[in-house]
Amino acid sequence: MSKAPTHLPKHVAIIMDGNGRWAKKRHLPREAGHYAGMGAVRETVRAACDMGLENLTLFAFSSENWKRPKTEVGALMALFRVYFRSDMDELVERNVRMRIIGHRGRVAGDIHQMILDSESRTAQNTGMNLTFAFDYGGQEEIVAATRELARAAAEGRLDPETITPELFAQRLFTNALPEPDLVIRTSGEHRLSNFLLWQSAYAELLFVDTLWPDFGRDALQKAIESFAARERRFGAVNSEAVA
Ligand code: IPE
Ligand code: IPE
Ligand code: MG
């Protein structure tokens, strides 16, 4: 058993990238990489629960991923069905509360229903908040929140002067969650790809070379240790500099 991390972030968010390259290295189709990626999701969720992490958010499908070939999108959707069917019982047993953030209106009806069922089935759970960003885009999310506030203002229900960052954040999909303090991206790419743009304003970013299917308990532990060693300032100066 690895030792418990000393300083746990409140919210870890992960851009799970590199499934295709993992498969390519093995001369397998990209879909095989996504399947292996599901195993990494399972292991990472279990590890996060065991560590006592309060919030874990996983980027599973972006609003731009619809641009991929139809067969790949179909395979990814099929995997989500498999995941919901095979893992829900364990998540319920682990007292996990599931949420899905994203557009919702564009996915197939049966997946939409699975999303609703998984959320209602775990709504009373008090353990880790597990959120999947699925058909999610940060810019879309910000625009939707803006549109809602603009409509309220146009209809005279909202004074524009009362719009604050806090009020704005309440209109985002993540309104029930604290902001992520650690955002991890696997596969060596150094970008956010439209993930939690507003919410990551002060997140610590960690880019690791590991391809997502190879991520798991040890990699999560290492990431959290690296977070614990960082100095966060939020625009201020640290206490030693003040003294
Ligand atoms: C991440 O792996 C999974 C999704 C985006 C759904 P990729 O499929 O992007 O893998 P690479 O980046 O091609 O290796
Ligand atoms: C980001 O990965 C989306 C997910 C991990 C779900 P991509 O592989 O789609 O991102 P880009 O295209 O390399 O920026
Ligand atoms: Mg990728």
Side-chain angles (χ1 to χ4, degrees):
M1 224 8 234
S2 46
K3 73 175 168 58
T6 45
H7 181 44
L8 268 187
K10 273 211 166 330
H11 184 177
V12 176
I14 310 182
I15 303 169
M16 310 186 286
D17 196 16
N19 294 351
R21 278 162 283 168
W22 183 94
K24 193 168 182 213
K25 267 174 52 180
R26 288 162 180 77
H27 309 287
L28 294 168
R30 293 179 57 82
E31 287 71 15
H34 296 315
Y35 185 79
M38 186 168 66
V41 167
R42 224 165 250 152
E43 187 180 330
T44 304
V45 169
R46 284 180 185 149
C49 284
D50 293 346
M51 270 173 202
L53 193 70
E54 288 173 33
N55 300 281
L56 176 68
T57 298
L58 300 174
F59 199 7
F61 191 88
S62 77
S63 50
E64 289 75 39
N65 286 148
W66 295 108
K67 295 181 199 159
R68 294 190 180 200
K70 254 195 165 134
T71 47
E72 181 170 349
V73 170
L76 282 164
M77 296 299 153
L79 270 184
F80 297 132
R81 293 185 176 95
V82 170
Y83 182 78
F84 281 120
R85 284 199 195 104
S86 59
D87 286 49
M88 276 314 296
D89 286 350
E90 177 178 339
L91 295 175
V92 170
E93 205 170 295
R94 284 182 176 270
N95 197 22
V96 164
R97 175 152 185 196
M98 272 281 260
R99 286 185 178 84
I100 284 77
I101 56 171
H103 191 282
R104 289 186 184 215
R106 290 181 294 228
V107 295
D110 67 314
I111 295 187
H112 189 234
Q113 194 54 50
M114 282 175 170
I115 289 174
L116 296 176
D117 291 347
S118 69
E119 287 181 333
S120 63
R121 213 179 143 197
T122 63
Q124 305 305 322
N125 286 358
T126 53
M128 186 174 79
N129 288 311
L130 173 62
T131 304
F132 282 95
F134 179 61
D135 193 7
Y136 171 87
Q139 291 183 340
E140 237 179 38
E141 178 185 37
I142 291 168
V143 168
T146 307
R147 194 181 295 125
E148 203 184 304
L149 292 173
R151 190 179 296 127
E155 291 170 0
R157 291 182 281 117
L158 174 76
D159 173 1
E161 294 310 314
T162 62
I163 301 175
T164 58
E166 292 72 26
L167 184 88
F168 192 84
Q170 284 168 19
R171 299 297 191 281
L172 300 174
F173 296 133
T174 48
N175 60 9
L177 303 170
E179 291 188 346
D181 31 21
L182 174 62
V183 174
I184 304 169
R185 183 173 188 144
T186 59
S187 89
E189 305 294 353
H190 295 185
R191 55 178 171 267
L192 292 175
S193 299
N194 207 8
F195 185 49
L196 298 180
L197 297 181
W198 170 281
Q199 298 87 337
S200 298
Y202 266 101
E204 293 296 322
L205 307 180
L206 180 69
F207 300 102
V208 297
D209 288 334
T210 315
L211 300 173
W212 176 251
D214 295 326
F215 199 88
R217 192 173 290 269
D218 291 348
L220 181 66
Q221 178 93 20
K222 261 178 74 181
I224 285 171
E225 278 162 17
S226 137
F227 169 84
R230 297 208 186 172
E231 187 200 329
R232 307 185 76 200
R233 299 196 194 127
F234 303 98
V237 286
N238 64 29
S239 46
E240 281 145 50
V242 174

